[in-house]
Amino acid sequence: MNNRNISISDSEWKIMKVLWEYPNITLKEIAGRTKECGWGYSTVRTLVNRLADKGAINADKGVPNNFKYYPVVGEEECKIKEVKSFLEKVFDGSASMLISTLVKDSELSDEEQKKLRDIIDKMDQ
């Protein structure tokens, strides 16, 4: 993430997903788009402030009391960091152990199986 080691909590991920989809929105708009989480406005404000403190988001402060927030880090780079962290923590860095677990303990559809085979085939190229 641009040489930043930003750790994003599960709740903060929900805020980030909103901002990746709808950059440059107000705190009130973020609260509206996360209402299914059951959070009050102050909780959303706290999460947004934490993300800003971490450097994951920033705000256009052109209009006082109506800041527009936007992500500073990209969705893809955050996903990659999270997957690498999960892989290291749970599977000691072994991608094959992760895939093996997914295949053994999940009922993959024919389409999912094909996608996995296609990904592995592309690695050989």
Side-chain angles (χ1 to χ4, degrees):
M1 287 189 267
N2 297 337
N3 296 323
R4 289 178 278 215
N5 193 13
I6 298 172
S7 179
I8 299 173
S9 73
D10 291 346
S11 296
E12 292 166 346
W13 265 98
K14 292 176 186 195
I15 302 292
M16 291 301 298
K17 285 181 179 183
V18 168
L19 289 172
W20 284 320
E21 189 170 352
Y22 306 99
N24 298 310
I25 62 173
T26 65
L27 192 55
K28 184 177 180 180
E29 292 169 319
I30 296 169
R33 295 199 179 274
T34 57
K35 64 182 170 196
E36 75 280 351
C37 297
W39 300 329
Y41 183 82
S42 62
T43 299
V44 173
R45 184 178 59 230
T46 298
L47 292 168
V48 166
N49 287 338
R50 285 183 190 164
L51 286 165
D53 289 345
K54 291 177 180 185
I57 67 173
N58 209 338
D60 176 358
K61 299 177 180 178
V63 179
N65 299 321
N66 203 23
F67 300 163
K68 297 213 179 226
Y69 293 91
Y70 58 91
V72 175
V73 293
E75 183 175 10
E76 197 63 31
E77 53 190 326
C78 285
K79 285 180 179 179
I80 290 169
K81 180 192 174 290
E82 285 295 319
V83 167
K84 285 181 179 180
S85 174
F86 176 79
L87 191 63
E88 194 58 44
K89 178 173 44 177
V90 178
F91 294 99
D92 297 323
S94 172
S96 62
M97 284 177 59
L98 169 66
I99 300 299
S100 175
T101 300
L102 286 173
V103 171
K104 278 190 232 173
D105 294 336
S106 299
E107 291 186 22
L108 298 175
S109 68
D110 290 343
E111 183 180 338
E112 288 173 317
Q113 289 179 36
K114 181 182 179 332
K115 285 180 183 179
L116 280 174
R117 284 190 191 99
D118 290 346
I119 290 168
I120 291 168
D121 289 344
K122 286 180 185 176
M123 290 173 55
D124 292 337
Q125 297 172 357

